[in-house]
Amino acid sequence: MDQPKEIQELNDLLRPRWVSGLWNVDHAERPSDPKTRVKAHLWKWHDIYDSLLQAKENISVTSGSVERRVIRLVNPGMAETGMTSHTILLSFQLIQPGEVAPGHRHTMSAFRFILQGQGAYTNVDGQRLVMEEGDLILTPQGCWHEHAHEGNENMVWIDGLDVPFVQALQVISFDPYKQGRLPINEGIDPAIFYGVARPVGVIGSEVPRLLHYHWRDTYPALQRLGRASGDPFDGAALEFVNPATGGPTLPTMSCRAQLLRGGEKTRSHRHTSTSIYHAFRGSGTTTINGQPFHWQKGDTFIVPLWSWHEHANGSDADDSILFSMHDEPILKAFGLYREERQNQPVLKVSK
């Protein structure tokens, strides 16, 4: 910005002292509404899956330099970062029969949403979690984890991690597991890990965390909700809940399954959280700030923060299902979550 000579001279005096005057802040950096570099974008399944197949032919998963065969979704507004948004990195992973993606742990939290294949499992801190289509599996930060495939077809899933948020806090760390395969606690009843009860006399910190949400449980619940009126802005939407806290799936990310009934169109709203959607079933159109994005099964799209958006099912007869992830827990933790709904000017402010 152009400044009078005396202010420029003052700035020159302050600069070598590593201090700066507030008068140098551009008013454009203090907008009345939230702004983001993240752009609305849609990634087509054909491009994603073809990229995975190309990687399968050229990338070998080992305990060396390449531990995972992963294709990341890069946002056009943040191309230099290689990230999907400023808080979430969304990727797709493919593992072949007989492969083992070796164990490691890190300060980033992660989830897996299973898309196709049978016979693979992930081991999270000794818990053998068998992957089935539509399952949601968590890897909280600091947990040892590896993936292994004992089936006979390609296994593909979504990886969601809070990499850019943890990176911004400058607390990223990563440890490889150096003792071969991760051990599995075969003698423990797996039901312990999936229920909300605990043995008498065991304190909360000793109870294994809920890490596995089965599609065979989620889908009937979604269908039951779909027979009710649903939400005018989100349709029939379920949020995966941590039963120990009643809160979101992970401290930095929440996950949802959303059913759009035949012919359904939601009303428009916007919020300060960023949302990423994967079309698990069906087809439809999501309009973001007036721009339509037409999606089919397998496609993925992002709704940047404070963007007006609405969904419409592409079929009058068949349901569509969207799986989505949100950075809403981060916003709520700092009291920064707001939502504005069409024809409802009063903002919802988190507390």
Side-chain angles (χ1 to χ4, degrees):
M1 68 182 79
D2 293 331
Q3 295 175 319
K5 181 180 179 182
E6 59 270 20
I7 293 182
Q8 294 181 30
E9 292 175 347
L10 177 57
N11 288 336
D12 292 339
L13 175 68
L14 298 181
R15 193 173 297 110
R17 299 176 179 177
W18 291 103
V19 296
S20 178
L22 184 62
W23 53 83
N24 292 309
V25 175
D26 190 340
H27 285 286
E29 298 177 8
R30 298 184 289 182
S32 57
D33 280 336
K35 303 293 182 184
T36 180
R37 294 168 54 203
V38 177
K39 294 184 180 296
H41 188 75
L42 183 143
W43 293 265
K44 298 299 294 182
W45 173 247
H46 173 270
D47 294 334
I48 294 170
Y49 192 60
D50 182 68
S51 299
L52 286 170
L53 294 180
Q54 296 297 323
K56 186 185 77 167
E57 299 301 319
N58 296 280
I59 302 296
S60 177
V61 175
T62 67
S63 58
S65 59
V66 180
E67 295 187 349
R68 303 288 190 267
R69 185 184 294 105
V70 167
I71 296 294
R72 305 193 297 179
L73 300 190
V74 179
N75 191 279
M78 303 182 63
E80 76 285 358
T81 69
M83 299 297 170
T84 315
S85 83
H86 60 301
T87 52
I88 298 175
L89 171 63
L90 193 72
S91 305
F92 290 76
Q93 184 165 173
L94 184 150
I95 185 170
Q96 299 183 85
E99 286 185 327
V100 176
H104 61 214
R105 66 179 178 181
H106 39 65
T107 47
M108 295 80 74
S109 295
F111 65 79
R112 329 282 169 195
F113 184 72
I114 315 306
L115 299 180
Q116 67 177 50
Q118 291 182 327
Y121 68 89
T122 185
N123 178 353
V124 182
D125 276 351
Q127 303 179 40
R128 188 178 189 270
L129 307 173
V130 178
M131 298 175 168
E132 296 181 354
E133 184 178 313
D135 285 3
L136 174 66
I137 298 176
L138 307 185
T139 307
Q141 64 94 10
C143 291
W144 291 106
H145 56 284
E146 72 175 15
H147 314 304
H149 195 356
E150 299 173 345
N152 53 19
E153 58 182 319
N154 291 334
M155 199 83 194
V156 179
W157 64 82
I158 292 173
D159 285 324
L161 297 95
D162 53 7
V163 173
F165 177 69
V166 177
Q167 190 174 59
L169 296 177
Q170 300 184 4
V171 290
I172 284 184
S173 66
F174 177 95
D175 298 309
Y177 190 75
K178 299 179 180 180
Q179 301 173 34
R181 295 290 302 274
L182 285 176
I184 294 176
N185 300 324
E186 296 285 6
I188 298 179
D189 181 1
I192 293 175
F193 305 125
Y194 307 143
V196 294
R198 67 184 181 194
V200 174
V202 176
I203 62 175
S205 61
E206 297 173 343
V207 178
R209 286 170 283 194
L210 176 62
L211 302 176
H212 198 162
Y213 301 80
H214 292 278
W215 183 247
R216 62 175 179 260
D217 299 324
T218 303
Y219 186 48
L222 199 57
Q223 289 178 306
R224 288 193 297 271
L225 185 61
R227 290 192 287 269
S229 58
D231 184 277
F233 298 91
D234 283 313
L238 289 175
E239 182 172 7
F240 295 92
V241 173
N242 179 345
T245 64
T249 325
L250 292 162
T252 52
M253 296 180 289
S254 63
C255 298
R256 299 175 188 170
Q258 180 175 350
L259 186 146
L260 299 172
R261 293 153 291 200
E264 183 171 18
K265 180 179 179 180
T266 67
R267 292 169 58 188
S268 184
H269 67 153
R270 63 180 180 177
H271 35 69
T272 50
S273 59
T274 299
S275 302
I276 307 173
Y277 293 87
H278 176 79
F280 187 53
R281 292 183 182 175
S283 63
T285 299
T286 296
T287 302
I288 306 172
N289 285 337
Q291 181 180 1
F293 291 85
H294 305 292
W295 43 265
Q296 296 176 320
K297 180 181 178 180
D299 295 348
T300 302
F301 60 94
I302 185 168
V303 178
L305 62 85
W306 213 235
S307 297
W308 289 105
H309 59 284
E310 58 191 51
H311 308 291
N313 191 340
S315 170
D316 290 329
D318 299 323
D319 294 338
S320 291
I321 297 177
L322 295 170
F323 170 78
S324 60
M325 61 236 67
H326 313 259
D327 61 4
E328 186 175 313
I330 299 174
L331 280 298
K332 287 188 172 180
F334 293 100
L336 296 173
Y337 180 78
R338 292 188 291 158
E339 180 181 1
E340 186 173 3
R341 297 183 160 197
Q342 185 182 48
N343 300 324
Q344 296 181 12
V346 178
L347 295 177
K348 290 185 171 182
V349 183
S350 65
K351 297 182 179 178

